[in-house]
Amino acid sequence: MLKSFVAVGLLFLLAFGPPAEAGNDLTGEQVYERITSERPRLYFRPGDIPALRERCRTFQRDAYERIKDSVDSELSTPGSARNCAETALVYLVTGDAAYAEAGRRKLLAQVDSFRRNASALRSWRRRSTDQRRYLYLATDWLWEAMPPSERRQVAEDLVYVARQWLEDSPGWLRDPYMGGYNQWSNAFLVGALLARSGVADEAARELLLAGYDPYWTMMQGRFQMAQDDGGIIAGFNYAVHNYLKMNLDFLLVMKNAAGVDLFERDYSLRNAGIWFAYGMHIPWRLPKIGDSGDGRRDFDSGSAITILSAAAGLYQDPVAQQLARELGNSPPGTLPRGAHPLLELLLADPRLPGALPDSSYPRARHFEGLGHVYMRTDWTPDATHALFFCEDAVGNHQHDDVGSFLIYRGGELAADTAGRIHTTLSHNTLLLKRGDEGVQRSSRSPGRRPFDRLLPYPFPAPFDMGEIVAFETNEHYTYVAADIARAYPEGRASELVRHFLWFVPNTFVIFDRVTTPPDVEAVWQVCALEEPQVEGRQAVITASERTVWGQTERGGQLFIRSLLPRDAVLAKTYQELTGAEGSSDSIWRITARSAGANPDDPFLHVLYAATPEEETGPAVDLVHQRGRVGARVQADGRTYHVLFNTTGPPGGTVRIAPDGVRRELTTEVQPQTGDGRR
């Protein structure tokens, strides 16, 4: 899957920060030696303060005034970690000693609370990403205003917490790809903050060295997974709530404190707009990927606004800018308030134009490092939208869903459960049963990936779960073929290749070539949120009209026709499932299995995404020709004809009438870079 990084366009960074060296081949010792002695140093340098003041006086005046009003209203209170950092920022902008005095008082109280809570509450450590960021920024911005005694006290408390989190941590929290739940980032940032401080130099060096290698390993893993496409494992909600903010911390501190510029390498931020635009349902909400919410739960829209507006400002990305406005219902020339006003003030630019993708963008985007393909007809509420997954086992919050897909039109049609329901039973892929449930081997079962197994990418077994071996998108169809046999326990299948073909706009043909031992039963399944209708070899999934996050979804239908195996029996079951950390949810499952004894029967299904008003699905026929098998579908004023190879490499032929399309399905992976446009 790996391809070389391709620089696309000109990278625009915020005005802050000195000229920095591109790339990074430095050891922790070398990074420590490069840390500047100047203050501030984390997000910007002393020479950037005039530009900061100008920003607050002009195009970010409204954002700054909101922060200042909040600070003024809480000037005499202990405040919060965020209020402490905001007070420190107002001090830098105004130079008013009253803000320095209030900020120092708040900082001492907040750091003391930070130490006490970190000792008492194990869960607080995992959820402290934003609190610790605010405390480190406040310390950096108030350092020159603090007397030596206060500097020592703050440094001692921050060092104590950082050391404790490194020493007192269960092994399952040490997953490098996910950042060790702030352990590595916390140690590195405290080290960078206090290096050359004159009060904690040895401790700072110790922490920076302890945190830098795993933090940098994590960043390299994320760079390689994003490649030049974008995205991040574990879904959109975790990306905006934690992971991409951790990326920002690392990039900003390396650039300002150590003089190393890595912004151009981070396509998870650089292409955040494209990833979100292809992945999000409209009305704007998140698809269900991994443990992330899907509009029923857990949509952190405030953090999404922060990340998208920051990415737009950093990389001059009109798509990210427009998505931030769409999420916050903001008009041109403005930006909505997100969850993190400081990041938005420093990185975003409301003056930038915004635009959703137009017809020059491809109908599908292959995020190659993730193993995801996102497909959509357009960017309107009436769009047909589908996602296909073939992930390797990379880190926490993934599910056992290799080969799974989601389909959306007016609502969730081919769906899955919300929350941390990892099992394959709740995903739209195959089960391979041998006297058990037939689920895939868990993406978590290989255990924690040590650093020497995280890199290089691609991952070695047992982390390699499958591969997209063919991909093509054009104005008529998108075709994906994925080898997913490796996702199952050893001995379940000698071959399992899923072909996922989307005929624009609403027809999906899914062909599964599977070869199993005689004692293994293959079961095809698709999941629904509402009870489906099942009759013979046909089924209908309905998504009712509903309101999600203040937006109305009009509802839709998914007509399903089972063509192979010839004696397949369709059935529906209602299942209540439990998952990690107390998660539970329920799902309807439509299953197809062969009533015969042939273990090598392929599965062939046609799915049609329809409006609520359509009473019947399209006309569908099974087609055989010269050792190939497929379907003829009459839908949307066209006749779609596909034949798939039943042996040898994936592929086949498609015909579309009256458009005059006649093509061989690709056996290669079509290259895409940047936003996917040619």
Side-chain angles (χ1 to χ4, degrees):
M1 296 182 193
L2 186 61
K3 56 190 176 187
S4 62
F5 288 101
V6 180
V8 183
L10 178 62
L11 179 68
F12 291 85
L13 294 179
L14 70 167
F16 303 148
E21 197 176 296
N24 185 47
D25 293 314
L26 303 177
T27 66
E29 289 280 6
Q30 290 170 323
V31 170
Y32 180 80
E33 292 301 322
R34 294 175 66 103
I35 298 293
T36 180
S37 60
E38 293 184 321
R39 298 281 181 185
R41 66 170 70 156
L42 296 184
Y43 273 25
F44 51 82
R45 298 275 285 272
D48 303 315
I49 292 177
L52 169 64
R53 290 171 175 163
E54 181 67 11
R55 169 180 285 251
C56 294
R57 189 185 67 81
T58 55
F59 63 91
Q60 281 287 49
R61 180 174 179 174
D62 289 347
Y64 170 70
E65 290 296 335
R66 287 196 297 269
I67 289 174
K68 186 174 182 297
D69 288 346
S70 174
V71 167
D72 289 339
S73 69
E74 297 185 52
L75 204 60
S76 61
T77 70
S80 61
R82 170 175 152 177
N83 175 252
C84 182
E86 291 175 346
T87 304
L89 180 83
V90 172
Y91 162 64
L92 288 182
V93 173
T94 64
D96 189 333
Y99 292 109
E101 181 179 349
R104 287 163 41 210
R105 183 181 67 252
K106 292 171 185 285
L107 180 61
L108 290 171
Q110 290 298 321
V111 168
D112 178 68
S113 175
F114 186 59
R115 175 172 179 158
R116 287 185 287 103
N117 282 324
S119 301
L121 300 175
R122 174 175 168 178
S123 64
W124 200 81
R125 169 177 60 231
R126 295 171 51 200
R127 302 187 176 103
S128 66
T129 310
D130 299 320
Q131 286 90 339
R132 53 91 175 160
R133 176 186 300 107
Y134 291 135
L135 292 182
Y136 303 158
L137 290 175
T139 302
D140 190 39
W141 296 341
L142 291 169
W143 189 265
E144 296 298 332
M146 287 191 286
S149 60
E150 290 182 3
R151 294 179 182 178
R152 283 193 298 272
Q153 183 60 56
V154 170
E156 287 174 6
D157 286 347
L158 295 181
V159 166
Y160 173 86
V161 173
R163 281 176 169 165
Q164 184 190 60
W165 288 6
L166 285 176
E167 296 167 0
D168 178 26
S169 176
W172 67 273
L173 284 178
R174 294 179 176 269
D175 184 339
Y177 182 80
M178 297 306 175
Y181 281 99
N182 307 324
Q183 296 169 89
W184 318 127
S185 57
N186 185 68
F188 171 75
L189 293 174
V190 172
L193 170 68
L194 298 177
R196 308 186 190 286
S197 64
V199 297
D201 290 348
E202 283 304 311
R205 179 178 176 277
E206 166 201 326
L207 291 170
L208 187 143
L209 296 181
Y212 171 78
D213 283 344
Y215 203 169
W216 174 229
T217 299
M218 176 198 79
M219 293 297 296
Q220 290 178 87
R222 293 182 180 181
F223 291 168
Q224 291 194 60
M225 293 301 293
Q227 297 186 20
D228 56 11
D229 303 313
I232 195 166
I233 286 293
F236 293 90
N237 207 53
Y238 280 97
V240 300
H241 184 66
N242 191 344
Y243 303 142
L244 289 179
K245 287 183 285 187
M246 292 178 67
N247 285 27
L248 275 173
D249 286 339
F250 189 82
L251 298 177
L252 286 166
V253 172
M254 285 294 290
K255 181 175 187 288
N256 288 286
V260 179
D261 191 344
L262 299 167
F263 275 91
E264 189 170 354
R265 293 187 58 179
D266 193 339
Y267 280 83
S268 56
L269 283 168
R270 183 170 179 164
N271 283 353
I274 292 299
W275 186 46
F276 272 81
Y278 275 95
M280 291 186 73
H281 299 323
I282 301 175
W284 299 106
R285 64 185 183 85
L286 302 181
K288 179 69 179 67
I289 300 177
D291 285 347
S292 294
D294 66 343
R296 287 178 283 157
R297 304 178 184 177
D298 299 336
F299 182 20
D300 188 355
S301 58
S303 288
I305 289 170
T306 296
I307 289 296
L308 288 166
S309 60
L314 286 165
Y315 299 99
Q316 302 287 287
D317 181 355
V319 174
Q321 185 84 338
Q322 186 61 31
L323 287 176
R325 288 181 178 140
E326 297 280 348
L327 286 173
N329 297 313
S330 295
T334 67
L335 281 172
R337 303 180 192 182
H340 305 283
L342 277 179
L343 288 174
E344 295 153 28
L345 172 68
L346 296 174
L347 303 178
D349 186 345
R351 302 170 301 176
L352 295 175
L356 293 179
D358 56 27
S359 60
S360 68
Y361 288 74
R363 294 191 184 275
R365 186 71 177 81
H366 180 198
F367 295 88
E368 196 165 339
L370 302 186
H372 292 186
V373 177
Y374 304 160
M375 299 153 264
R376 62 188 319 135
T377 52
D378 52 60
W379 279 268
T380 70
D382 294 326
T384 295
H385 183 208
L387 302 91
F388 182 87
F389 310 112
C390 185
E391 295 179 344
D392 288 328
V394 179
N396 290 334
H397 306 304
Q398 291 179 268
H399 287 190
D400 307 326
D401 60 355
V402 179
S404 185
F405 59 89
L406 302 173
I407 297 175
Y408 177 96
R409 187 184 182 192
E412 293 175 81
L413 300 176
D416 70 6
T417 51
R420 304 187 175 204
I421 313 296
H422 300 131
T423 175
T424 313
L425 291 170
S426 66
H427 298 92
N428 303 315
T429 187
L430 287 93
L431 305 174
L432 300 182
K433 301 168 71 71
R434 178 183 274 152
D436 55 19
E437 292 181 324
V439 299
Q440 296 174 358
R441 58 190 179 92
S442 175
S443 60
R444 291 155 307 287
S445 63
R448 298 303 99 208
R449 283 148 291 282
F451 305 136
D452 62 349
R453 299 299 294 275
L454 180 67
L455 300 170
Y457 178 84
F459 300 108
F463 313 119
D464 181 4
M465 294 290 199
E467 184 175 5
I468 291 175
V469 295
F471 164 75
E472 180 183 8
T473 185
N474 54 55
E475 62 180 309
H476 304 289
Y477 63 84
T478 293
Y479 170 64
V480 184
D483 180 352
I484 63 173
R486 297 190 295 278
Y488 295 83
E490 187 175 355
R492 296 297 172 104
S494 57
E495 178 188 46
L496 207 177
V497 178
R498 166 156 280 191
H499 305 250
F500 188 90
L501 175 62
W502 170 45
F503 284 118
V504 178
N506 301 308
T507 300
F508 300 85
V509 184
I510 303 172
F511 177 63
D512 296 300
R513 241 167 64 179
V514 55
T515 303
T516 64
D519 63 337
V520 172
E521 179 189 24
V523 179
W524 186 94
Q525 66 177 13
V526 63
C527 299
L529 300 182
E530 302 178 33
E531 182 176 5
Q533 304 172 41
V534 176
E535 183 176 349
R537 300 171 64 83
Q538 301 184 68
V540 181
I541 292 173
T542 299
S544 300
E545 180 179 324
R546 64 175 180 166
T547 299
V548 181
W549 298 105
Q551 303 280 350
T552 298
E553 297 177 336
R554 69 171 186 165
Q557 302 178 89
L558 187 67
F559 292 95
I560 302 169
R561 178 72 181 273
S562 181
L563 297 177
L564 290 175
R566 288 180 180 272
D567 57 356
V569 177
L570 283 182
K572 65 180 178 182
T573 58
Y574 179 75
Q575 191 146 7
E576 294 183 352
L577 298 165
T578 58
E581 299 189 15
S583 291
S584 63
D585 205 355
S586 56
I587 202 82
W588 284 94
R589 296 170 54 231
I590 299 172
T591 56
R593 64 186 76 204
S594 174
N598 186 352
D600 297 337
D601 275 346
F603 289 92
L604 179 62
H605 291 82
V606 175
L607 286 65
Y608 180 77
T611 65
E613 295 76 27
E614 295 177 68
E615 296 182 357
T616 61
V620 177
D621 296 297
L622 178 66
V623 179
H624 287 274
Q625 183 178 326
R626 298 176 184 175
R628 289 173 163 175
V629 65
R632 180 171 55 246
V633 185
Q634 293 177 300
D636 298 314
R638 294 179 174 85
T639 299
Y640 303 107
H641 186 282
V642 59
L643 288 167
F644 296 103
N645 295 343
T646 56
T647 60
T653 61
V654 296
R655 299 201 310 268
I656 305 174
D659 298 348
V661 175
R662 184 184 182 96
R663 297 183 184 177
E664 291 289 318
L665 291 172
T666 187
T667 58
E668 300 178 346
V669 174
Q670 175 184 351
Q672 289 182 315
T673 59
D675 57 21
R677 290 182 290 182
R678 292 185 179 275

